[in-house]
Amino acid sequence: MRKGRVDYTKLRQRMVEEQLISRGIKDKRVLTAFLKVEREKFVPKNLRKEAYEDFPLSIGEGQTISQPYMVALMTQCLKLQGEEKILEVGTGSGYQTAILAELSKEVFSLERIEKLAHKARRILHNLGYTNVQIFVANGTLGWEEFSPYDRILVTAGAKEVPLPLIEQLKDEGIMVIPVGDLYSQKLKVIEKRGDVINSRTVESCIFVPLIGKYGWDESVKNG
Ligand code: SAH
């Protein structure tokens, strides 16, 4: 490696081995997607060298790109086979969106901050993804037009599971969502079987707040 040049491929492989496989991420398709998607493209230029570190990074507007392990864990919990229609709430950097796009048929992603949505849209377009649509919207209301969804992923901390999201989840569908207070949450996997909603906790986590109706009030400010 030339002096000053960062070998991102090597960093990516190391991240997969040391942060994902070692912590129990087993889904082969998930691991392959993590080896492929160039995470450094989704972080601000001055933080690129840290793109593969084991923590979240700031992406501006008070928001973060989630820790790689958390992105992998949430993705694995969705049990994707390749044919799913997914609703993602909280596009942020667009990195998780790219991972989902690699592993499913189509992704609809909602982001409330216009600047982030535009940036993510541009990056995903430049990387050649054609199965992703990003909308600027309050994601706690879901996006009825394309519902029901096989999978729903929320990447901001909710105080409760927003009712519209349960309604827009397909029967036999899976939703992954962090639920808790402002400072810590539990990652929940919710499965819908007719009228029965099963919920289990997978992990403790810390996400920026999910803002809006069915979420936190905008005045919490760190959102
Ligand atoms: N998966 C993203 C996580 C970004 S952080 C990544 O790894 O980059 C969570 C994002 O959710 C933030 O960009 C925030 O603006 C957004 N968000 C919070 N509440 C929202 C809401 N009600 N609707 C849509 N997006 C929301």
Side-chain angles (χ1 to χ4, degrees):
M1 194 173 79
R2 276 209 333 263
K3 198 171 167 242
R5 290 270 308 257
V6 181
D7 185 348
Y8 287 115
T9 307
K10 204 166 170 186
L11 290 180
R12 197 148 55 238
Q13 284 165 353
R14 195 182 293 164
M15 170 195 74
V16 168
E17 277 158 32
E18 294 177 3
Q19 300 175 36
L20 309 190
I21 295 173
S22 70
R23 290 192 182 121
I25 302 297
K26 291 193 181 72
D27 186 322
K28 289 259 159 32
R29 295 181 70 240
V30 172
L31 295 171
T32 303
F34 273 79
L35 284 173
K36 179 176 173 192
V37 179
E38 297 166 297
R39 188 170 156 95
E40 70 275 14
K41 300 259 163 83
F42 294 87
V43 307
K45 277 210 174 75
N46 61 326
L47 294 177
R48 280 204 175 147
K49 286 186 183 146
E50 295 175 66
Y52 294 94
E53 297 292 331
D54 194 13
F55 41 73
L57 294 171
S58 169
I59 54 169
E61 313 297 316
Q63 309 303 322
T64 54
I65 175 171
S66 304
Q67 178 197 25
Y69 169 67
M70 194 46 70
V71 179
L73 179 64
M74 293 191 293
T75 309
Q76 179 167 269
C77 288
L78 290 173
K79 295 186 185 157
L80 299 170
Q81 304 291 330
E83 285 307 309
E84 295 83 1
K85 177 167 63 170
I86 307 182
L87 178 70
E88 180 190 39
V89 176
T91 317
S93 67
Y95 176 68
Q96 168 87 70
T97 321
I99 296 283
L100 297 177
E102 290 285 339
L103 297 171
S104 66
K105 191 169 174 198
E106 50 183 344
V107 185
F108 299 93
S109 187
L110 310 177
E111 170 56 56
R112 62 184 285 273
I113 300 176
E114 200 170 347
K115 226 169 151 179
L116 294 178
H118 286 172
K119 206 167 172 183
R121 203 180 275 147
R122 199 180 54 226
I123 295 169
L124 290 162
H125 175 79
N126 289 344
L127 290 175
Y129 290 100
T130 53
N131 58 341
V132 173
Q133 287 191 58
I134 297 173
F135 302 106
V136 179
N138 169 16
T140 65
L141 302 176
W143 193 263
E144 216 179 344
E145 187 180 353
F146 301 105
S147 70
Y149 300 95
D150 301 296
R151 302 288 186 267
I152 297 181
L153 174 61
V154 180
T155 69
K159 56 180 173 184
E160 62 193 5
V161 183
L163 196 59
L165 298 186
I166 294 178
E167 285 168 357
Q168 291 175 29
L169 183 63
K170 202 180 265 182
D171 193 21
E172 308 275 299
I174 302 175
M175 174 171 10
V176 174
I177 176 169
V179 182
D181 61 33
L182 277 175
Y183 306 103
S184 76
Q185 303 92 32
K186 303 282 184 208
L187 189 68
K188 303 267 184 196
V189 175
I190 290 164
E191 299 193 346
K192 192 173 178 177
R193 298 270 180 280
D195 290 338
V196 181
I197 306 292
N198 285 314
S199 167
R200 64 185 170 92
T201 296
V202 189
E203 181 80 279
S204 295
C205 51
I206 305 174
F207 281 83
V208 296
L210 181 73
I211 306 285
K213 196 180 174 195
Y214 302 104
W216 296 96
D217 193 90
E218 185 142 18
S219 63
V220 294
K221 278 291 177 240
N222 49 344

